[in-house]
Amino acid sequence: MIQKQKLFGMEIDALNMGQAIARLREWLDESRLGKCRYVVTPNVDHAVLWQEHEGLRDAYRKASLVLADGHPLVWASRLLRRPLPERVPGSDLVPKFFDHCQDSGREVRVFLLGAAPGVGARAVEKIRKRWPLVNVVGVYSPPLGFEKDPDENEIILGRLILTRPDLLVVGLGAPKQECWVAQHHEHLAAKAALCVGATIDFLAGEKRRAPYWMQCLGVEWLHRMLSEPRRLVKRYAKDAWVFPQLVLKQMLSPSRAWN
Ligand code: UDP
């Protein structure tokens, strides 16, 4: 039984990277064909959004694993005495799981869903070179607004049925990716789905991760904001205002159920 820590209403699994990879491995080794399990990776922005977004809450409730994406959540968890062992960012989990497959000599079938047109194909080239045992069986960049179009949804579900991936890597941005996977997970022909934001861009070399020192200092968000200021400044300003209030609220009433 995995220990869960309740933070700002979200229930986060207290797992480190190695344990998360082991859990994914177990899911993929099971031959059971049923609903697709999925992973969400909360960061500060999710914590803020979660307070007011019923769709995101529902997606979190149905997720099989909830892993802390960023340092600030881990720091807050320690401050609030509900400690998480370490951050397990989606954009690290994917390449590290590929490392695990390569090192253990086990092929994994992967479908990349999301990112701009052409990015998935570039990611495939890089993946083939670095992890020959990662077999990308499908790539699809759905058009804007696809989530409201039943035909588009059918196309995606159909491609998954045809290609039968073990792992569906979903990079549609939050909260779209979480809500979409939650809505469809009972019909996704994959063993597991990972809701991992810009990971396909990172795999393709389209976007760069923050330098390691920035990741260690917990300021990866600053790197992202400087690389996409028009999209992200407003969001991060809100997060910087609301998140400390969430920490304070939980500090002042740690035992109260938070809905
Ligand atoms: N994206 C997409 N379809 C959409 C919206 C976004 O494929 O309708 C992709 C976008 O191209 C990028 C990723 O989703 O690859 C966004 O990831 P990011 O982590 O930056 O999103 P965030 O959750 O921070 O908004």
Side-chain angles (χ1 to χ4, degrees), residues 43 45-46 49 113-117 119 140-147 170-178 196-202 206-207 224 228 231-232 235-236:
N43 55 22
D45 191 51
H46 290 212
L49 208 55
L113 176 67
V119 175
Y140 188 56
S141 167
L144 220 62
F146 80 95
E147 69 279 11
V170 187
L172 298 166
K176 189 184 290 185
Q177 58 197 9
E178 290 80 9
V196 287
T199 298
I200 301 171
D201 298 278
F202 295 136
E206 195 72 13
K207 289 184 187 169
R224 296 208 58 197
E228 293 180 80
R231 185 168 80 96
L232 297 177
R235 178 198 292 185
Y236 285 144

Side-chain angles (χ1 to χ4, degrees), residues 13-62:
D13 293 299
L15 293 188
N16 63 27
M17 178 64 79
Q19 292 165 324
I21 288 173
R23 181 49 61 104
L24 265 184
R25 179 80 264 159
E26 281 169 28
W27 294 352
L28 265 49
D29 285 348
E30 279 178 22
S31 55
R32 175 187 87 109
L33 266 185
K35 61 185 177 189
C36 173
R37 289 166 164 137
Y38 68 90
V39 179
V40 295
T41 62
N43 55 22
V44 166
D45 191 51
H46 290 212
V48 170
L49 208 55
W50 194 95
Q51 309 304 316
E52 57 196 32
H53 196 297
E54 186 45 48
L56 187 63
R57 293 186 200 204
D58 182 55
Y60 266 62
R61 274 193 291 270
K62 293 177 185 161

Side-chain angles (χ1 to χ4, degrees), residues 6 18 43 67-68 73 90 96 115 117 149 155 183 186 192 213-214 225 228:
K6 197 159 189 182
N43 55 22
L67 301 170
L73 277 192
K96 284 192 189 295
D149 180 345
I155 289 175
Q183 189 184 343
E186 294 187 359
W213 65 267
M214 286 185 103
M225 191 177 75
E228 293 180 80

Side-chain angles (χ1 to χ4, degrees), residues 21 24-25 28 92-112 123-124 126-128 130-136 167-169 194 199-200 203:
I21 288 173
L24 265 184
R25 179 80 264 159
L28 265 49
D92 283 341
L93 178 64
V94 173
K96 284 192 189 295
F97 189 72
F98 290 173
D99 284 342
H100 152 82
C101 294
Q102 192 63 39
D103 296 346
S104 58
R106 302 161 88 157
E107 192 194 334
V108 61
R109 296 166 64 79
V110 174
F111 194 107
L112 305 178
V124 175
K126 298 255 165 73
I127 290 171
R128 278 208 185 113
R130 188 162 161 201
W131 299 284
L133 287 179
V134 175
N135 179 8
V136 184
L167 206 58
L168 172 63
V169 175
L194 307 176
T199 298
I200 301 171
L203 289 169

